[in-house]
Structures are given as structure tokens and as C-alpha cells.
Amino acid sequence: MLFLKYLLMWGGIGMIAVAAGILAYDIYLELKYRQALAMAGAEPLPAAPQVRWRSSLALALLAWGPIVLALGIVVVPSGTAGVRVSQSSGTLPGTLYPGAHFLVPFGENVVLFDTRDQLFTTGALENEGNAGSGKNLKSEPLNVQAKEGLTLGLSITVRYRLDPKHLDYIQNNLPQPVEKEIVPSVVASAWRELVPNYTVREVFAAKREEVRKRASDVITQKLAADGILVKEVMLRDIQLPPEYAKGLESLLLKEQESDRMGVQTDIQQKQVRISELEAEATKAQQVKQAEGEAQVRVLQAKSEADAMQYTLPLKQKQIEQSKLEAEARKETTVKNAEAQAEAKVIDSKAEMERRKLLAEAEADRIRVTAAADAVRMQSEGAILKQNPLLINKIVAERLSDKLQIMMVPADGKFFFANDVLRSMSVANHASQAEEPDEQQPK
């Protein structure tokens, strides 16, 4: 819509510029024609150009149409609201909210109001940087008198905004601007009417929140009647008179000391009460413990008495069982001894049989070995008779493993061979002489 407004506006201005351009061009041509006419004298010239007065005027009048339409479009910015003021009827009811609106050109205009939250502040702010950016800020505190007649300096901040629904009433009935003409006087009047009902001490400490709440209710009620919405009333700080501040400081110190003593007294009383309760609890605990121990002993005695009724027969049975077990062990021992004796006899008999069998086996082995040796000797003797040189080999092998076999002639000229052969011939004759003697008993 804003684009349309500017388009119409610049379109009308452009049409007026074109009309002025056409008129200027025609006048320029007419001046040229007059100069040419003066210089030509009696020579004939073409017809004189006509100035297009009617066309230019019609175009200029037509250009006012878009301009008038553009003037009838009003755009209300964000964060504001407006009311229409007629040149004939005054302020018209209703509120124009942010956006584009159509008005009667040259018959109505729009008065804008800031509908965002605003602050009215008295006294210096804690953040001085923010203090310079707000509206309606005062560096001096609001001076009011308490019940004692002492002057207090109040640092107050009121957060408020204009009610968009009542902007027509504000425009018609309230002095402008409202934030300078109405809000400061109402806030100051409310506090100066309320604070004199309280003492300095009540305003400063005892009933500070109550005073703030009552002042907030009064300010809200008064400003609401004028279409101003109060969101919050803050009592930031209170400046006390110097003399009262010193006396209040000493009084507060005494009260703090009194409160401290009272707290200590309460603590000591509670400690005494705790000690008494602990003693009573200990006593009750000991009594309960003694009663419990007595009951435990009684129950133990009863259980022991009841157990004895079953213990005596059980012990008698255990004694009889021990006797039976002893007799059984005795019989078992006797039987084990007899069994061991029989086992020893059987072992001795078995050992004798074993030795007898071993002796017979050894005799058989000796007989078989002797027979085998005899057969071997006979076979060896027969072989030696056939090959006498084997004796030399056997002797050489048995004398040393380092001796080599030597073959000697059998003609008897070698001394070692003569002695060996002589001994071998003697042994052969002796063995031949014994053989007939052994064969006779058989």
C-alpha cells in the first residue's frame, strides 16, 4: 500500500512536469518563430506555431487525481496508533492501528500516539546509561513528608502505556503531551497523599511493600480513567533525612542486638530441652533394655527346662548307642584279628609253595643249561678237531679287543703256537679219557 501511495504521488508529479515541459516547449518554438519573422522582413514564413495551453492545463488538472488519491492513503507505523481528526467534525471515533488506511484528502488528518511501554522515573537510576535513553526521566527524587513531618526522597519508576481503545478520548480531553502533562502530576499527587499516613520507619522498612502497593492501586485507578494503562509501580530507593538516618542506624543496631540475644536465649532453651529429652530417652531406653534382658533370661530358662525333658532320654539313647557301638567294634576287632591270622597262614603257605616252585624251576633250568653246555662243548670239540686254527682266533679275541687275528703256520716252529697246541692236545686227551668213565653209570 505504501508503494501504491508513492506510485500515485510520483505519477501525478510526473504528469505536472510533462505539462510544464509541453508548455515550455511551445513557448520556445513561438519565440523562435518571432525571431525568424523579425529577421526575414517581407519574406513569407510558414504558419506560426500554436502554444498548447489547453492540453497542458488539462494534463496538469488530470495529474491532481493521483496526487489526491495518494494524499488519502495514510500509513501508521509499528508501535503507534492514530485517530482521525476531521476539519469539520473534530476527532472521529475509532483507532487506526499499524498499517495503511484511507482518509478524505484535505478533509481529515491523522494524529499519531506512541502505544509502546513508557517510563516515568524520579531519582537517579542505578544504570545511568539507560537513564539517558528513556523519556520523562528526572534526576531529582520525589520529595514527600512522612507522618512525623520529615521529608523523604523517593526514587520511583512507573511503567505505563496508552490504551489504544481510548486514543480518541485522549485527543479530545487531555492536554498534550500526556506523558509530561498528566502522568507526573498524578504520580506525585498519589504519593504525597499516601505517605503522610505512615511514619518514616514504616515507609522505609516495616510497611514498605504495603505503601508501594497502595500507591500503585491509586495511580492505576486514576490514570485508567484517562485511558492510560499502568503496568507496574516500583519504589526503588528511599532517601532518609541525615539525622533520622543516624538515629535509625543506632536503633537498628540495638534491635539487631536484642534479636541476637533473643535468638541465643531460644537456642539455649532448646538445648536444655533437648538435653532433658535425651535424658528421658536414655532412661526409657535403659528401662526397656532391662525389661527385654529379663524377658530374654526368663525365656532362656523356660527353653532350657523344656529342653532338659527331651535331653535326658536322648542322652540315655546315646549311651546305649555308644555301648552297642563298642561291642560292635570289639567283635569287629576279633574278627579282623582272626582274619589277619588266617591270612598270614595262607600267605606263609603260599610263600612256601612259591619258594618250592622257584627251586624246582631253578633245578630244571640248571639241568637244561648243563645239558645244553655239554652238547655245545661236544660240538665245539668236534669243530676244533676239524679246524685247529680256530683256537688261535678264539684266544686272540678273548685276550684283548685291540689284538688283530694272526694266522701262523702249523709246522710247530712258532713258539707261541707250539705251547698252545701242546696244551690243547693235552686237554683233548684228558677229555677223551673221561668220556668212557661217564658213560658207564648211565
Side-chain angles (χ1 to χ4, degrees):
M1 188 62 69
L2 188 61
F3 174 74
L4 178 60
K5 176 181 178 178
Y6 288 127
L7 181 63
L8 293 173
M9 181 68 70
W10 287 107
I13 294 172
M15 293 173 66
I16 293 174
V18 170
I22 293 173
L23 186 61
Y25 181 71
D26 291 344
I27 294 172
Y28 172 75
L29 291 179
E30 185 178 359
L31 292 175
K32 286 287 186 181
Y33 179 79
R34 289 180 180 180
Q35 289 178 0
L37 183 60
M39 292 176 63
E43 294 181 2
L45 293 174
Q50 299 292 328
V51 178
R52 291 172 287 183
W53 296 100
R54 292 182 179 181
S55 300
S56 300
L57 181 61
L59 187 59
L61 293 176
L62 185 62
W64 281 100
I67 293 175
V68 170
L69 291 176
L71 293 176
I73 300 175
V74 176
V75 178
V76 178
S78 176
T80 61
V83 292
R84 294 177 296 171
V85 179
S86 175
Q87 300 297 329
S88 60
S89 303
T91 303
L92 299 179
T95 302
L96 301 180
Y97 293 96
H101 303 275
F102 292 97
L103 302 178
V104 177
F106 304 106
E108 295 177 354
N109 65 313
V110 176
V111 179
L112 298 178
F113 293 90
D114 190 355
T115 57
R116 293 171 293 185
D117 289 352
Q118 302 183 48
L119 297 178
F120 169 74
T121 303
T122 63
L125 292 174
E126 289 79 1
N127 190 351
E128 293 297 338
N130 293 336
S133 61
K135 295 182 179 180
N136 304 328
L137 297 179
K138 296 182 180 180
S139 59
E140 294 295 330
L142 178 62
N143 295 323
V144 296
Q145 288 186 347
K147 195 172 184 179
E148 300 94 330
L150 298 175
T151 301
L152 299 177
L154 303 182
S155 296
I156 302 166
T157 297
V158 179
R159 181 184 173 194
Y160 68 94
R161 63 190 294 263
L162 300 180
D163 188 358
K165 297 179 181 179
H166 297 85
L167 293 180
D168 51 354
Y169 173 82
I170 295 173
Q171 175 65 21
N172 273 336
N173 300 282
L174 300 181
Q176 302 298 326
V178 176
E179 59 272 11
K180 293 183 179 180
E181 300 295 335
I182 299 297
V183 176
S185 59
V186 172
V187 173
S189 174
W191 284 98
R192 285 169 180 164
E193 290 176 1
L194 181 63
V195 173
N197 297 322
Y198 295 90
T199 62
V200 175
R201 184 178 181 185
E202 290 175 345
V203 175
F204 181 73
K207 298 182 179 181
R208 181 169 181 168
E209 181 60 24
E210 178 184 343
V211 174
R212 187 203 64 80
K213 190 174 184 306
R214 289 185 61 184
S216 176
D217 295 339
V218 172
I219 294 171
T220 301
Q221 183 178 1
K222 287 184 176 181
L223 292 180
D226 293 329
I228 301 174
L229 303 177
V230 177
K231 291 188 174 181
E232 188 178 6
V233 177
M234 294 172 280
L235 178 58
R236 304 192 323 275
D237 191 17
I238 299 175
Q239 296 180 4
L240 298 175
E243 298 80 5
Y244 186 85
K246 294 180 181 179
L248 182 61
E249 183 179 358
S250 61
L251 180 61
L252 290 175
L253 291 175
K254 291 180 181 179
E255 288 183 354
Q256 290 177 358
E257 184 66 20
S258 177
D259 294 340
R260 187 180 64 81
M261 293 298 294
V263 171
Q264 288 182 354
T265 303
D266 292 339
I267 292 173
Q268 291 177 356
Q269 290 178 355
K270 290 179 180 179
Q271 288 177 351
V272 172
R273 181 59 179 166
I274 291 171
S275 300
E276 293 177 356
L277 293 174
E278 289 178 351
E280 292 178 359
T282 303
K283 180 179 178 181
Q285 184 178 3
Q286 291 177 354
V287 171
K288 292 290 184 181
Q289 186 175 1
E291 292 177 355
E293 291 177 355
Q295 291 178 0
V296 169
R297 289 178 181 176
V298 171
L299 292 175
Q300 289 177 353
K302 289 182 179 180
S303 62
E304 289 177 358
D306 294 337
M308 290 300 292
Q309 295 178 0
Y310 300 97
T311 303
L312 293 176
L314 181 61
K315 287 185 177 181
Q316 290 178 357
K317 291 181 180 180
Q318 290 178 352
I319 292 171
E320 293 177 358
Q321 184 179 1
S322 301
K323 290 180 180 179
L324 294 174
E325 290 177 355
E327 292 177 357
R329 285 197 297 272
K330 182 177 179 183
E331 292 179 359
T332 302
T333 304
V334 172
K335 289 181 179 180
N336 290 334
E338 292 176 355
Q340 290 178 359
E342 291 178 359
K344 288 182 179 180
V345 172
I346 292 171
D347 290 339
S348 61
K349 290 181 178 180
E351 183 67 20
M352 291 177 64
E353 291 292 334
R354 185 180 69 78
R355 290 180 180 180
K356 184 177 179 181
L357 291 173
L358 290 174
E360 292 177 355
E362 183 67 19
D364 291 339
R365 186 185 67 78
I366 293 171
R367 284 195 297 271
V368 171
T369 303
D373 289 340
V375 173
R376 183 178 60 78
M377 293 286 291
Q378 290 178 1
S379 61
E380 288 179 355
I383 291 170
L384 291 173
K385 286 180 180 181
Q386 296 175 1
N387 299 302
L389 295 176
L390 292 175
I391 295 173
N392 298 333
K393 178 179 178 297
I394 293 170
V395 171
E397 290 177 352
R398 291 185 178 180
L399 286 176
S400 174
D401 56 352
K402 295 181 180 180
L403 295 177
Q404 296 181 354
I405 299 174
M406 294 181 298
M407 302 300 292
V408 297
D411 55 359
K413 294 181 180 180
F414 189 71
F415 67 93
F416 180 74
N418 293 334
D419 294 337
V420 172
L421 291 175
R422 190 181 295 110
S423 61
M424 288 297 296
S425 62
V426 173
N428 289 331
H429 288 298
S431 61
Q432 290 177 0
E434 290 177 356
E435 287 180 359
D437 295 336
E438 294 178 355
Q439 292 176 358
Q440 289 178 1
K442 295 180 181 180

